[in-house]
Every structure is written in structure tokens, then in C-alpha cells.
Amino acid sequence: MSTRANENEAETVGTPVGDARITWYRDPEPARGVVAVSHGAGGGIGARDLQALAVALPARGYTVALVEQPWRVAGKKVAPAPKTLDAGWTALWPALAKPGLPVVAGGRSAGARVACRTARELGAHAVLALSFPLHPPGKPERSRVDELTGAGVPTLVVQGARDPFGRPEEFPPGTELTEVAYGDHGFAVPKSAGVSEAESMAAITDAVLAWLDGMFG
């Protein structure tokens, strides 16, 4: 499968912390929900997993909204403080809810933290946490598990088996989690693993689709 989606429509949304950008991926058939996913602190919406979701989900009944936070739109290299990230996400939420469909809040890495921190307040239907940074690399004592467990809505974690920000076995019991074999924080796999990027991305999209179908029927 291709992991590069065709962009359908880009929308600029003003927020108190700068302009954000939403790129929508839709199918002509009516959708059951919106899956809104933001990037991490070190990358953009071109990330392999975000693009894979944008390719796979619309044809299965889920509109995908890839969200670029204001700092990224402004061309800055370093993400701002969590409160600023949350403010941008909260301000653009009405644009995500405008289609009148349930919204699954999602993100990768820092974006997953934002989705978890704001889910209850914004009325998110669920949270999709890609590469949730459970702790800084090598510092398990600085756990962010409270952000994850505090989301207050159904949450799926998709985590690489080799993620230095938190391996799957480090997450608390009861966490709904899909492990990406051999994957690192960006879901890259070593050539020696014998698993292609396409296979890894298919494992992610299949797991997310099964989770969404379980909620939406």
C-alpha cells in the first residue's frame, strides 16, 4: 500500500497562539466519524503513520483530519510549552467538530499527550495515541502515565516494540495497546527485521480500523 495520501482540502484555522492548519481526507461516501491526528514535537504530518492513516481510513468510513499546530505552521523548529499546545488544539477543535460527527482525538508523541490532556474537556469520543511518550528516554522515573490514564475516554495506544520513550511492556495493565513489531518511536524498523515499512503501516491501520469499527459498529 502507498503511505503517501492525496491531500483533499487544507483549511487554516486561527487560534490565540497562531494559525493552525487542518488537512482533510474524505471519501465521497458518508463518514461515521472524524479521526483528528496531530504531529509530534519533532516532525510534521508527513510522518509515515499519519500518512498511512490518511490513505486507509476514509474508504472505511472515517474522515481523517491531519492537524498542524500553530508553531509548525509558523515554521518554528521547537514546540512550545504544553499549555500553549493545548491552547492551540482546544481553539481549533470547533473546526474538527463542524462536520457534526463524533471526533476521535489523536496524535503522535507530543500530539498524543495533547489529545489525552484535553479529551475530557473537549468531549472527544475517544483518543488514538501513536507512540505515546510514556517517559523521556532512559528516565522511566519521569512517567507521564497520569496523562494517558486521565484521558477519561476509550484510548488506543499504538507503540513500537523498541520505542525508547516507553516500550509496550512498560504501560500499565489494562492499557488497550497495539505493538508494532521492531518499531522505534517513529515506527521505523531495521532492515534486519525482515518486516517492510508497508507491512508495519498495514499493521497499524488494521489495528486502528478494528478499534474504530468496534466503537462505531
Side-chain angles (χ1 to χ4, degrees):
M1 61 174 283
S2 169
T3 57
R4 182 66 190 178
N6 293 320
E7 296 183 2
N8 288 355
E9 177 190 348
E11 174 184 3
T12 298
V13 181
T15 84
V17 294
D19 286 348
R21 184 185 299 118
I22 304 171
T23 304
W24 295 91
Y25 300 84
R26 298 184 175 96
D27 191 79
E29 297 297 320
R32 290 178 279 178
V34 172
V35 180
V37 194
S38 187
H39 51 79
I45 62 170
R48 56 174 64 86
D49 49 330
L50 304 191
Q51 289 295 316
L53 293 171
V55 168
L57 269 57
R60 294 286 295 274
Y62 305 101
T63 292
V64 174
L66 298 187
V67 178
E68 293 174 87
Q69 280 267 11
W71 68 272
R72 184 76 182 183
V73 175
K76 297 178 181 177
K77 301 295 185 182
V78 180
K83 286 184 178 181
T84 303
L85 293 175
D86 292 357
W89 182 256
T90 298
L92 63 83
W93 186 263
L96 299 171
K98 190 175 181 180
L101 298 168
V103 181
V104 174
R108 75 158 0 267
S109 194
R113 295 180 63 193
V114 173
C116 288
R117 289 194 298 260
T118 60
R120 193 192 303 267
E121 172 193 351
L122 296 175
H125 189 77
V127 167
L128 173 60
L130 303 161
S131 297
F132 187 86
L134 192 62
H135 56 71
K139 298 180 179 179
E141 70 281 1
R142 292 175 54 185
S143 177
R144 299 166 179 141
V145 69
D146 288 348
E147 290 183 354
L148 179 66
T149 58
V153 296
T155 301
L156 174 66
V157 175
V158 182
Q159 202 77 2
R162 300 184 300 115
D163 193 333
F165 289 83
R167 296 174 183 265
E169 62 269 21
E170 296 181 65
F171 283 77
T175 302
E176 189 166 2
L177 187 147
T178 290
E179 178 177 327
V180 180
Y182 307 104
D184 63 10
H185 193 60
F187 297 128
V189 299
K191 291 182 179 179
S192 60
V195 179
S196 70
E197 180 174 304
E199 290 172 323
S200 292
M201 293 304 100
I204 293 172
T205 56
D206 288 350
V208 172
L209 281 165
W211 175 67
L212 291 170
D213 288 346
M215 290 190 295
F216 288 98

Short mmCIF file of all heavy atoms in Angstrom, two decimals, residues 46-97:
data_model
loop_
_atom_site.label_atom_id
_atom_site.label_comp_id
_atom_site.label_asym_id
_atom_site.label_seq_id
_atom_site.Cartn_x
_atom_site.Cartn_y
_atom_site.Cartn_z
N GLY A 46 3.69 14.73 7.62
CA GLY A 46 4.24 13.80 6.65
C GLY A 46 4.73 12.51 7.27
O GLY A 46 5.19 11.62 6.54
N ALA A 47 4.63 12.36 8.58
CA ALA A 47 5.07 11.14 9.26
C ALA A 47 4.40 9.92 8.64
O ALA A 47 3.22 9.95 8.28
CB ALA A 47 4.75 11.22 10.75
N ARG A 48 5.15 8.84 8.55
CA ARG A 48 4.68 7.64 7.84
C ARG A 48 3.36 7.10 8.38
O ARG A 48 2.49 6.70 7.61
CB ARG A 48 5.75 6.54 7.86
CG ARG A 48 6.22 6.15 9.26
CD ARG A 48 7.19 4.96 9.24
NE ARG A 48 8.42 5.23 8.55
CZ ARG A 48 9.50 5.80 9.11
NH1 ARG A 48 9.44 6.17 10.38
NH2 ARG A 48 10.60 6.00 8.43
N ASP A 49 3.19 7.11 9.69
CA ASP A 49 1.96 6.56 10.27
C ASP A 49 0.76 7.47 10.02
O ASP A 49 -0.35 6.98 9.73
CB ASP A 49 2.13 6.28 11.76
CG ASP A 49 2.72 7.46 12.53
OD1 ASP A 49 3.49 8.24 11.96
OD2 ASP A 49 2.40 7.59 13.74
N LEU A 50 0.97 8.79 10.09
CA LEU A 50 -0.14 9.70 9.83
C LEU A 50 -0.60 9.61 8.38
O LEU A 50 -1.80 9.60 8.08
CB LEU A 50 0.26 11.14 10.17
CG LEU A 50 0.78 11.42 11.59
CD1 LEU A 50 0.87 12.91 11.83
CD2 LEU A 50 -0.11 10.75 12.63
N GLN A 51 0.35 9.51 7.47
CA GLN A 51 0.00 9.39 6.06
C GLN A 51 -0.69 8.06 5.77
O GLN A 51 -1.62 7.99 4.96
CB GLN A 51 1.25 9.56 5.19
CG GLN A 51 1.80 10.98 5.17
CD GLN A 51 0.84 11.96 4.51
OE1 GLN A 51 0.26 11.66 3.47
NE2 GLN A 51 0.66 13.12 5.11
N ALA A 52 -0.25 7.00 6.44
CA ALA A 52 -0.88 5.70 6.25
C ALA A 52 -2.34 5.73 6.69
O ALA A 52 -3.23 5.17 6.03
CB ALA A 52 -0.11 4.63 7.00
N LEU A 53 -2.61 6.38 7.81
CA LEU A 53 -4.00 6.51 8.28
C LEU A 53 -4.83 7.32 7.29
O LEU A 53 -5.99 7.00 7.02
CB LEU A 53 -4.03 7.16 9.66
CG LEU A 53 -3.42 6.33 10.80
CD1 LEU A 53 -3.31 7.19 12.06
CD2 LEU A 53 -4.25 5.08 11.07
N ALA A 54 -4.24 8.39 6.75
CA ALA A 54 -4.97 9.24 5.80
C ALA A 54 -5.32 8.48 4.53
O ALA A 54 -6.33 8.77 3.88
CB ALA A 54 -4.15 10.48 5.48
N VAL A 55 -4.49 7.51 4.16
CA VAL A 55 -4.77 6.69 2.98
C VAL A 55 -5.85 5.66 3.27
O VAL A 55 -6.78 5.46 2.47
CB VAL A 55 -3.48 5.99 2.50
CG1 VAL A 55 -3.80 4.92 1.46
CG2 VAL A 55 -2.51 6.99 1.91
N ALA A 56 -5.75 5.00 4.43
CA ALA A 56 -6.57 3.81 4.68
C ALA A 56 -7.95 4.09 5.25
O ALA A 56 -8.91 3.37 4.94
CB ALA A 56 -5.81 2.87 5.61
N LEU A 57 -8.08 5.11 6.09
CA LEU A 57 -9.32 5.25 6.86
C LEU A 57 -10.51 5.80 6.09
O LEU A 57 -11.65 5.34 6.31
CB LEU A 57 -9.08 6.10 8.11
CG LEU A 57 -8.67 5.35 9.38
CD1 LEU A 57 -7.43 4.50 9.19
CD2 LEU A 57 -8.49 6.33 10.54
N PRO A 58 -10.34 6.79 5.20
CA PRO A 58 -11.54 7.38 4.57
C PRO A 58 -12.41 6.38 3.83
O PRO A 58 -13.65 6.45 3.91
CB PRO A 58 -10.94 8.42 3.62
CG PRO A 58 -9.67 8.85 4.30
CD PRO A 58 -9.13 7.58 4.88
N ALA A 59 -11.81 5.44 3.13
CA ALA A 59 -12.61 4.46 2.39
C ALA A 59 -13.36 3.51 3.30
O ALA A 59 -14.29 2.82 2.85
CB ALA A 59 -11.71 3.66 1.44
N ARG A 60 -13.00 3.49 4.56
CA ARG A 60 -13.66 2.62 5.54
C ARG A 60 -14.64 3.39 6.42
O ARG A 60 -15.11 2.88 7.44
CB ARG A 60 -12.61 1.93 6.40
CG ARG A 60 -11.73 0.95 5.61
CD ARG A 60 -12.47 -0.34 5.26
NE ARG A 60 -12.80 -1.06 6.48
CZ ARG A 60 -11.98 -1.91 7.09
NH1 ARG A 60 -10.77 -2.14 6.58
NH2 ARG A 60 -12.34 -2.52 8.19
N GLY A 61 -14.92 4.64 6.05
CA GLY A 61 -15.97 5.37 6.74
C GLY A 61 -15.51 6.37 7.78
O GLY A 61 -16.32 6.86 8.57
N TYR A 62 -14.22 6.72 7.76
CA TYR A 62 -13.70 7.66 8.75
C TYR A 62 -12.94 8.78 8.06
O TYR A 62 -11.92 8.54 7.41
CB TYR A 62 -12.78 6.95 9.75
CG TYR A 62 -13.45 5.78 10.42
CD1 TYR A 62 -13.19 4.47 10.00
CD2 TYR A 62 -14.40 5.97 11.42
CE1 TYR A 62 -13.84 3.39 10.58
CE2 TYR A 62 -15.05 4.90 12.01
CZ TYR A 62 -14.76 3.60 11.59
OH TYR A 62 -15.41 2.53 12.15
N THR A 63 -13.45 9.99 8.20
CA THR A 63 -12.73 11.16 7.70
C THR A 63 -11.48 11.36 8.55
O THR A 63 -11.53 11.24 9.78
CB THR A 63 -13.62 12.41 7.78
OG1 THR A 63 -14.69 12.26 6.84
CG2 THR A 63 -12.84 13.67 7.47
N VAL A 64 -10.37 11.66 7.91
CA VAL A 64 -9.12 11.92 8.63
C VAL A 64 -8.79 13.40 8.52
O VAL A 64 -8.84 13.98 7.43
CB VAL A 64 -7.96 11.08 8.08
CG1 VAL A 64 -6.64 11.47 8.74
CG2 VAL A 64 -8.24 9.59 8.31
N ALA A 65 -8.47 14.01 9.65
CA ALA A 65 -8.02 15.40 9.70
C ALA A 65 -6.62 15.42 10.28
O ALA A 65 -6.43 15.12 11.45
CB ALA A 65 -8.97 16.24 10.56
N LEU A 66 -5.63 15.73 9.44
CA LEU A 66 -4.27 15.85 9.93
C LEU A 66 -4.03 17.30 10.33
O LEU A 66 -4.20 18.21 9.51
CB LEU A 66 -3.26 15.42 8.86
CG LEU A 66 -3.35 13.96 8.39
CD1 LEU A 66 -2.19 13.63 7.47
CD2 LEU A 66 -3.39 12.99 9.57
N VAL A 67 -3.64 17.49 11.56
CA VAL A 67 -3.58 18.83 12.16
C VAL A 67 -2.14 19.27 12.35
O VAL A 67 -1.34 18.57 12.99
CB VAL A 67 -4.31 18.85 13.51
CG1 VAL A 67 -4.21 20.24 14.14
CG2 VAL A 67 -5.77 18.44 13.34
N GLU A 68 -1.81 20.44 11.80
CA GLU A 68 -0.51 21.07 12.03
C GLU A 68 -0.70 22.17 13.06
O GLU A 68 -1.45 23.13 12.85
CB GLU A 68 0.03 21.65 10.73
CG GLU A 68 0.39 20.59 9.70
CD GLU A 68 0.79 21.21 8.38
OE1 GLU A 68 1.98 21.54 8.21
OE2 GLU A 68 -0.10 21.37 7.52
N GLN A 69 -0.02 22.03 14.17
CA GLN A 69 -0.12 23.00 15.25
C GLN A 69 0.47 24.35 14.82
O GLN A 69 1.32 24.41 13.91
CB GLN A 69 0.61 22.48 16.49
CG GLN A 69 -0.20 21.49 17.30
CD GLN A 69 -0.99 22.18 18.41
OE1 GLN A 69 -1.11 23.40 18.47
NE2 GLN A 69 -1.54 21.38 19.32
N PRO A 70 0.03 25.45 15.43
CA PRO A 70 0.48 26.78 15.02
C PRO A 70 2.00 26.96 14.96
O PRO A 70 2.50 27.62 14.06
CB PRO A 70 -0.15 27.69 16.08
CG PRO A 70 -1.41 26.99 16.45
CD PRO A 70 -1.05 25.54 16.45
N TRP A 71 2.71 26.38 15.90
CA TRP A 71 4.17 26.56 15.89
C TRP A 71 4.79 25.94 14.64
O TRP A 71 5.73 26.48 14.08
CB TRP A 71 4.80 25.96 17.15
CG TRP A 71 4.74 24.45 17.24
CD1 TRP A 71 3.72 23.71 17.77
CD2 TRP A 71 5.72 23.52 16.79
NE1 TRP A 71 4.02 22.37 17.68
CE2 TRP A 71 5.24 22.23 17.08
CE3 TRP A 71 6.97 23.65 16.17
CZ2 TRP A 71 5.95 21.07 16.77
CZ3 TRP A 71 7.68 22.49 15.86
CH2 TRP A 71 7.18 21.23 16.16
N ARG A 72 4.19 24.85 14.18
CA ARG A 72 4.70 24.19 12.98
C ARG A 72 4.35 25.00 11.73
O ARG A 72 5.17 25.15 10.81
CB ARG A 72 4.11 22.78 12.88
CG ARG A 72 4.63 21.95 11.73
CD ARG A 72 6.02 21.43 12.01
NE ARG A 72 6.52 20.68 10.87
CZ ARG A 72 7.68 20.05 10.84
NH1 ARG A 72 8.45 20.06 11.91
NH2 ARG A 72 8.08 19.40 9.77
N VAL A 73 3.12 25.51 11.68
CA VAL A 73 2.70 26.34 10.56
C VAL A 73 3.58 27.58 10.45
O VAL A 73 3.91 28.05 9.35
CB VAL A 73 1.21 26.73 10.70
CG1 VAL A 73 0.80 27.71 9.61
CG2 VAL A 73 0.32 25.49 10.66
N ALA A 74 3.98 28.11 11.59
CA ALA A 74 4.82 29.31 11.62
C ALA A 74 6.28 29.03 11.25
O ALA A 74 7.09 29.96 11.16
CB ALA A 74 4.76 29.95 13.00
N GLY A 75 6.61 27.76 11.05
CA GLY A 75 7.97 27.42 10.64
C GLY A 75 8.97 27.33 11.77
O GLY A 75 10.18 27.28 11.52
N LYS A 76 8.49 27.25 12.99
CA LYS A 76 9.40 27.14 14.13
C LYS A 76 9.92 25.70 14.27
O LYS A 76 9.24 24.75 13.89
CB LYS A 76 8.70 27.59 15.41
CG LYS A 76 8.30 29.06 15.38
CD LYS A 76 7.57 29.47 16.66
CE LYS A 76 7.16 30.94 16.59
NZ LYS A 76 6.39 31.36 17.79
N LYS A 77 11.10 25.59 14.83
CA LYS A 77 11.75 24.29 14.93
C LYS A 77 11.47 23.57 16.25
O LYS A 77 11.60 22.36 16.34
CB LYS A 77 13.27 24.45 14.79
CG LYS A 77 13.70 25.08 13.46
CD LYS A 77 13.37 24.20 12.28
CE LYS A 77 13.91 24.79 10.99
NZ LYS A 77 13.55 23.96 9.81
N VAL A 78 11.10 24.34 17.27
CA VAL A 78 10.92 23.77 18.60
C VAL A 78 9.48 24.00 19.06
O VAL A 78 8.95 25.11 18.97
CB VAL A 78 11.90 24.41 19.61
CG1 VAL A 78 11.71 23.82 21.00
CG2 VAL A 78 13.34 24.22 19.14
N ALA A 79 8.87 22.94 19.57
CA ALA A 79 7.49 23.04 20.06
C ALA A 79 7.43 23.88 21.33
O ALA A 79 8.37 23.85 22.14
CB ALA A 79 6.94 21.65 20.33
N PRO A 80 6.35 24.61 21.54
CA PRO A 80 6.21 25.41 22.75
C PRO A 80 5.81 24.55 23.95
O PRO A 80 5.71 23.33 23.86
CB PRO A 80 5.10 26.40 22.37
CG PRO A 80 4.27 25.65 21.40
CD PRO A 80 5.22 24.79 20.62
N ALA A 81 5.53 25.22 25.05
CA ALA A 81 5.15 24.54 26.29
C ALA A 81 3.82 23.82 26.12
O ALA A 81 3.00 24.19 25.29
CB ALA A 81 5.06 25.55 27.43
N PRO A 82 3.58 22.77 26.93
CA PRO A 82 2.33 22.01 26.83
C PRO A 82 1.08 22.88 26.90
O PRO A 82 0.11 22.64 26.16
CB PRO A 82 2.41 21.06 28.03
CG PRO A 82 3.87 20.81 28.19
CD PRO A 82 4.52 22.14 27.89
N LYS A 83 1.07 23.90 27.75
CA LYS A 83 -0.12 24.75 27.85
C LYS A 83 -0.42 25.45 26.53
O LYS A 83 -1.59 25.61 26.15
CB LYS A 83 0.04 25.79 28.97
CG LYS A 83 -0.07 25.21 30.37
CD LYS A 83 0.00 26.32 31.42
CE LYS A 83 -0.17 25.75 32.82
NZ LYS A 83 -0.12 26.81 33.86
N THR A 84 0.62 25.86 25.81
CA THR A 84 0.44 26.51 24.52
C THR A 84 -0.06 25.51 23.48
O THR A 84 -0.94 25.82 22.68
CB THR A 84 1.76 27.14 24.05
OG1 THR A 84 2.20 28.07 25.05
CG2 THR A 84 1.58 27.88 22.74
N LEU A 85 0.48 24.29 23.50
CA LEU A 85 0.00 23.24 22.60
C LEU A 85 -1.48 22.95 22.85
O LEU A 85 -2.28 22.83 21.91
CB LEU A 85 0.82 21.97 22.79
CG LEU A 85 2.29 22.01 22.38
CD1 LEU A 85 2.98 20.71 22.76
CD2 LEU A 85 2.43 22.27 20.89
N ASP A 86 -1.84 22.84 24.12
CA ASP A 86 -3.23 22.56 24.46
C ASP A 86 -4.15 23.70 24.03
O ASP A 86 -5.28 23.47 23.56
CB ASP A 86 -3.37 22.34 25.97
CG ASP A 86 -2.71 21.05 26.45
OD1 ASP A 86 -2.18 20.29 25.60
OD2 ASP A 86 -2.71 20.81 27.67
N ALA A 87 -3.68 24.94 24.17
CA ALA A 87 -4.49 26.09 23.78
C ALA A 87 -4.76 26.09 22.28
O ALA A 87 -5.89 26.38 21.84
CB ALA A 87 -3.79 27.39 24.19
N GLY A 88 -3.76 25.77 21.48
CA GLY A 88 -3.96 25.70 20.04
C GLY A 88 -4.93 24.62 19.64
O GLY A 88 -5.84 24.84 18.83
N TRP A 89 -4.78 23.44 20.24
CA TRP A 89 -5.66 22.30 19.94
C TRP A 89 -7.09 22.60 20.35
O TRP A 89 -8.03 22.31 19.62
CB TRP A 89 -5.11 21.07 20.65
CG TRP A 89 -5.86 19.79 20.43
CD1 TRP A 89 -6.71 19.18 21.31
CD2 TRP A 89 -5.82 18.93 19.28
NE1 TRP A 89 -7.20 18.01 20.79
CE2 TRP A 89 -6.66 17.83 19.54
CE3 TRP A 89 -5.15 19.01 18.06
CZ2 TRP A 89 -6.85 16.81 18.62
CZ3 TRP A 89 -5.34 17.97 17.15
CH2 TRP A 89 -6.18 16.89 17.42
N THR A 90 -7.24 23.17 21.53
CA THR A 90 -8.59 23.49 22.02
C THR A 90 -9.28 24.51 21.12
O THR A 90 -10.47 24.39 20.82
CB THR A 90 -8.49 24.04 23.46
OG1 THR A 90 -7.93 23.03 24.31
CG2 THR A 90 -9.86 24.44 23.99
N ALA A 91 -8.52 25.50 20.65
CA ALA A 91 -9.12 26.55 19.82
C ALA A 91 -9.53 26.04 18.44
O ALA A 91 -10.49 26.55 17.86
CB ALA A 91 -8.13 27.71 19.68
N LEU A 92 -8.84 25.05 17.92
CA LEU A 92 -9.21 24.55 16.59
C LEU A 92 -10.23 23.43 16.65
O LEU A 92 -10.75 23.01 15.61
CB LEU A 92 -7.96 24.12 15.81
CG LEU A 92 -7.10 22.96 16.33
CD1 LEU A 92 -7.63 21.60 15.95
CD2 LEU A 92 -5.66 23.12 15.83
N TRP A 93 -10.55 22.96 17.84
CA TRP A 93 -11.49 21.85 17.99
C TRP A 93 -12.85 22.10 17.31
O TRP A 93 -13.39 21.19 16.67
CB TRP A 93 -11.69 21.52 19.46
CG TRP A 93 -12.52 20.29 19.70
CD1 TRP A 93 -13.86 20.22 19.97
CD2 TRP A 93 -12.06 18.93 19.66
NE1 TRP A 93 -14.27 18.93 20.11
CE2 TRP A 93 -13.19 18.11 19.93
CE3 TRP A 93 -10.83 18.33 19.43
CZ2 TRP A 93 -13.09 16.71 19.97
CZ3 TRP A 93 -10.74 16.95 19.48
CH2 TRP A 93 -11.86 16.16 19.74
N PRO A 94 -13.44 23.31 17.42
CA PRO A 94 -14.72 23.53 16.73
C PRO A 94 -14.66 23.24 15.24
O PRO A 94 -15.65 22.78 14.65
CB PRO A 94 -15.02 25.00 17.01
CG PRO A 94 -14.34 25.28 18.32
CD PRO A 94 -13.07 24.48 18.25
N ALA A 95 -13.53 23.48 14.60
CA ALA A 95 -13.40 23.17 13.17
C ALA A 95 -13.42 21.67 12.94
O ALA A 95 -13.96 21.19 11.93
CB ALA A 95 -12.11 23.77 12.63
N LEU A 96 -12.86 20.91 13.87
CA LEU A 96 -12.87 19.46 13.76
C LEU A 96 -14.27 18.90 13.98
O LEU A 96 -14.65 17.89 13.38
CB LEU A 96 -11.90 18.84 14.77
CG LEU A 96 -10.43 19.24 14.61
CD1 LEU A 96 -9.61 18.73 15.80
CD2 LEU A 96 -9.86 18.71 13.31
N ALA A 97 -15.03 19.55 14.86
CA ALA A 97 -16.38 19.08 15.18
C ALA A 97 -17.43 19.60 14.21
O ALA A 97 -18.58 19.15 14.23
CB ALA A 97 -16.74 19.52 16.61
#
